[in-house]
Amino acid sequence: MLEPAFSIFYSSQTGDNHGFVLIFICRFCADCALITLKPLNSVTPNLSVNMNSEQIKNIKIRKLDKGAEIPYHLLLLADPSENAINRYLNNSEIYIAELKSKIVGVYVLYPVNDTTVEIKNIAVEESYQRNGIGKLMLAHAAQTSRNKNFNRIIIGTGNSSIGQLYLYQQQGFEIFDIKKNFFVDNYPDPIFEDGIQCKHMIMLERKINASG
Ligand code: ACO
């Protein structure tokens, strides 16, 4: 049987968001790597966007207007249950991150009591993730809560959400509780992330006061 002379060795998205770099390795000698650019944006609409610092500066975060359409498609990235989302939305404030009036992120602030507020939901549109918008929204949530005289902000995430746990601790949150089997008991289907079952809710807190 004839074998192809080249095999695709690696493909990766290009920074300008207009295609993929495909590296073909010749099967006769692995030295002659051939790099070609192939426009794929028509078939791969969900490419990630690499934002530069100017674009990041143009991100505006504001409270969602009363009666405006709720960006459920984003909220569902953080919480797979629309019923659960609707339960906390009633008593919460919704904030959106916009880039030139396109909504690219959302977070939800829920007052737990007079001193503590919870970020019930935080999400960034998939193609805009890993550009620092999550960090911006966490900082905005802290400042908003401080302005409203809360002195503690809490957030919960699954045991399998390693990136999120990293991000929250990097932003000054510390683990204070674990709600054992929260996701097993409250969600109809098992949830897996990167092969790890999401069973427990890890609760993190950050003290907020005038200085930080
Ligand atoms: N994997 C690994 N590290 C991550 C990840 C990830 N998925 N997400 C964030 N990080 C870490 C990285 O260290 C990252 O810095 P780096 O890219 O320089 O390495 C750092 O956090 C900062 O990330 P940001 O770019 O500010 O975060 P982003 O804009 O992607 O927003 C968020 C983070 C909100 C978690 C986003 O990835 C997302 O929407 N995920 C899907 C929904 C979700 O899981 N939401 C949180 C659920 S918990 C809750 O809602 C209360």
Side-chain angles (χ1 to χ4, degrees):
M1 193 175 81
L2 281 176
E3 288 181 54
F6 295 96
S7 54
I8 296 173
F9 177 68
Y10 179 71
S11 78
S12 113
Q13 193 189 316
T14 54
D16 62 6
N17 196 25
H18 287 296
F20 273 68
V21 176
L22 298 180
I23 301 176
F24 294 87
I25 302 293
C26 168
R27 77 179 168 86
F28 301 110
C29 72
D31 301 330
C32 60
L34 173 71
I35 300 174
T36 61
L37 275 175
K38 217 173 169 171
L40 288 178
N41 45 346
S42 55
V43 286
T44 321
N46 200 19
L47 298 176
S48 45
V49 175
N50 290 322
M51 296 171 71
N52 60 37
S53 53
E54 274 311 303
Q55 290 169 309
I56 286 285
K57 277 191 212 149
N58 285 329
I59 295 279
K60 302 269 182 282
I61 302 175
R62 65 173 176 91
K63 197 168 154 183
L64 187 69
D65 295 332
K66 269 214 169 83
E69 196 179 333
I70 295 169
Y72 276 102
H73 65 292
L74 295 179
L75 296 171
L76 286 165
L77 294 176
D79 187 336
S81 163
E82 197 165 325
N83 284 340
I85 292 172
N86 285 333
R87 277 198 292 276
Y88 54 71
L89 278 193
N90 278 336
N91 301 315
S92 303
E93 289 183 345
I94 304 172
Y95 290 83
I96 49 169
E98 287 177 308
L99 179 64
K100 292 185 186 158
S101 76
K102 174 183 165 59
I103 300 179
V104 292
V106 66
Y107 77 85
V108 175
L109 270 189
Y110 173 88
V112 178
N113 56 38
D114 288 348
T115 56
T116 299
V117 68
E118 178 168 355
I119 299 176
K120 281 283 190 186
N121 190 307
I122 180 166
V124 172
E125 189 182 310
E126 275 164 313
S127 55
Y128 286 85
Q129 288 175 9
R130 306 298 292 269
N131 279 298
I133 300 171
K135 267 186 207 167
L136 281 181
M137 290 198 296
L138 288 172
H140 190 274
Q143 189 57 50
T144 304
S145 308
R146 199 177 287 123
N147 293 345
K148 291 172 179 285
N149 292 324
F150 291 102
N151 61 26
R152 180 172 173 257
I153 187 163
I154 64 175
I155 191 164
T157 194
N159 58 285
S160 51
S161 299
I162 307 301
Q164 289 80 342
L165 285 166
Y166 179 85
L167 171 63
Y168 303 152
Q169 292 178 85
Q170 203 189 36
Q171 295 305 299
F173 287 84
E174 287 185 15
I175 294 171
F176 72 94
D177 193 17
I178 298 176
K179 294 181 181 169
K180 293 281 278 181
N181 290 315
F182 179 88
F183 293 98
V184 178
D185 296 340
N186 291 288
Y187 287 79
D189 300 313
I191 303 167
F192 281 87
E193 280 180 291
D194 297 326
I196 303 171
Q197 186 171 1
C198 181
K199 292 182 180 173
H200 317 298
M201 170 95 86
I202 313 286
M203 297 301 302
L204 301 99
E205 67 179 342
R206 181 179 155 186
K207 299 279 158 54
I208 42 171
N209 51 41
S211 59

